[in-house]
């Protein structure tokens, strides 16, 4: 059987292209990056981009989403609502921090996200709508139930942003953490411990907010 000219040379060509694109897009942004430089880094033919991704924009989307897409934070958020709050928060933080175990791949993925915020192509807004909002809303609903509220109020939103923000800092401030206390993120086990501690801190914050509401 004759191989199509668009067929990749190796079974790993697609993965190599995604990882090469992640590195180059993170360093140069969408506009400045060239498909030729990506293919050279990946050791792939230029036709492989068309074969797998359609065009440069399709490759960018893959590089932006795929390195993170196997993380369990993409699970069904209804799962959290069925658990006691401490257990739900522990699962929430474990899943939220799971990508930190990817090491350098995660650093590049975050760098690309920072570039996307400055030089938007539209995929950042898609991620907000598809991933970040559902995560936020799942936690809001858990807290609404915990406080027995009929409606979501501003303080519940403030509390939700604050709880999630504890974990977000370890993404956006990873270089700072590495400079001050690198052992906190050194191994997968360290990251799991961090998730468990953040869950405990969150419970303390939630209990404090419950007391404030009682006294208000």
């Amino acid at each position: 059987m004759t191989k199509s000219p668009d067929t990749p040379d190796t079974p790993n060509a697609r993965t190599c292209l995604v990882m090469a694109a992640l590195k180059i897009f993170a360093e140069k942004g969408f506009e400045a990056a060239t498909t030729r430089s990506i293919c050279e880094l990946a050791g792939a033919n230029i036709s492989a981009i068309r074969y797998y991704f359609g065009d440069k924009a399709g490759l960018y989307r893959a590089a932006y989403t795929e390195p993170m897409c196997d993380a369990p934070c993409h699970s069904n958020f209804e799962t959290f609502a069925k658990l006691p709050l401490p257990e739900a928060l522990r699962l929430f933080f474990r899943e939220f921090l799971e990508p930190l175990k990817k090491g350098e791949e995660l650093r590049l993925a975050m760098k690309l996200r920072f570039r996307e915020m400055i030089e938007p192509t539209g995929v950042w807004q898609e991620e907000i709508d598809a991933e970040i909002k559902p995560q936020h809303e799942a936690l809001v609903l858990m807290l609404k139930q915990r406080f027995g509220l009929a409606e979501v109020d501003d303080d519940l939103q403030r509390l939700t942003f604050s709880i999630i923000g504890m974990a977000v800092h370890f993404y956006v401030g990873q270089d700072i953490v590495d400079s001050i206390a690198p052992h906190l993120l050194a191994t997968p086990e360290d990251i799991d411990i961090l998730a468990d501690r953040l869950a405990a801190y969150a419970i303390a914050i939630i209990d404090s907010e419950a007391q404030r509401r009682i006294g208000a």
Side-chain angles (χ1 to χ4, degrees), residues 6-204:
D6 287 340
T7 302
D9 293 331
T10 70
N12 295 324
R14 190 183 192 284
T15 299
C16 290
L17 277 168
V18 170
M19 296 311 300
L22 173 61
K23 178 176 175 56
I24 291 179
F25 282 134
E27 291 175 351
K28 299 184 177 181
F30 178 77
E31 292 296 337
T34 66
T35 54
R36 182 173 299 278
S37 63
I38 291 170
C39 287
E40 288 177 354
L41 181 60
N45 293 328
I46 196 83
S47 61
I49 292 179
R50 183 171 66 253
Y51 179 84
Y52 283 123
F53 310 102
D55 54 16
K56 180 182 176 182
L59 176 57
Y60 180 84
R61 184 179 298 276
Y64 186 93
T65 60
E66 291 184 15
M68 304 282 280
C69 72
D70 60 345
C73 61
H74 295 252
S75 61
N76 187 344
F77 296 114
E78 293 179 1
T79 302
F80 296 111
K82 300 175 183 178
L83 299 172
L85 186 60
E87 188 177 344
L89 285 169
R90 181 173 178 271
L91 177 61
F92 178 84
F93 281 113
R94 285 226 173 187
E95 294 188 352
F96 195 97
L97 296 179
E98 183 70 18
L100 285 173
K101 298 176 183 179
K102 289 177 173 284
E104 183 60 23
E105 187 176 333
L106 184 276
R107 291 179 184 276
L108 290 172
M110 289 305 300
K111 188 174 181 179
L112 181 56
R113 278 157 175 75
F114 296 147
R115 276 198 172 276
E116 172 66 22
M117 293 176 195
I118 298 170
E119 305 166 3
T121 67
V123 296
W124 169 234
Q125 185 61 50
E126 291 175 12
E127 184 176 27
I128 292 174
D129 294 336
E131 301 293 340
I132 296 174
K133 283 184 179 178
Q135 275 186 337
H136 183 91
E137 290 168 1
L139 185 52
V140 164
L141 291 176
M142 282 196 296
L143 296 174
K144 177 173 174 281
Q145 182 178 10
R146 164 68 174 79
F147 293 128
L149 299 177
E151 301 291 338
V152 175
D153 58 29
D154 288 345
D155 280 324
L156 196 65
Q157 292 285 7
R158 293 184 186 102
L159 178 61
T160 302
F161 280 117
S162 297
I163 290 172
I164 296 175
M166 290 193 298
V168 170
H169 178 76
F170 287 92
Y171 283 92
V172 300
Q174 192 171 359
D175 290 342
I176 298 172
V177 176
D178 285 345
S179 178
I180 297 172
H183 55 282
L184 294 183
L185 303 175
T187 69
E189 291 75 18
D190 292 326
I191 293 168
D192 286 340
I193 291 172
L194 173 62
D196 293 347
R197 297 295 184 271
L198 291 182
Y201 304 155
I203 289 293

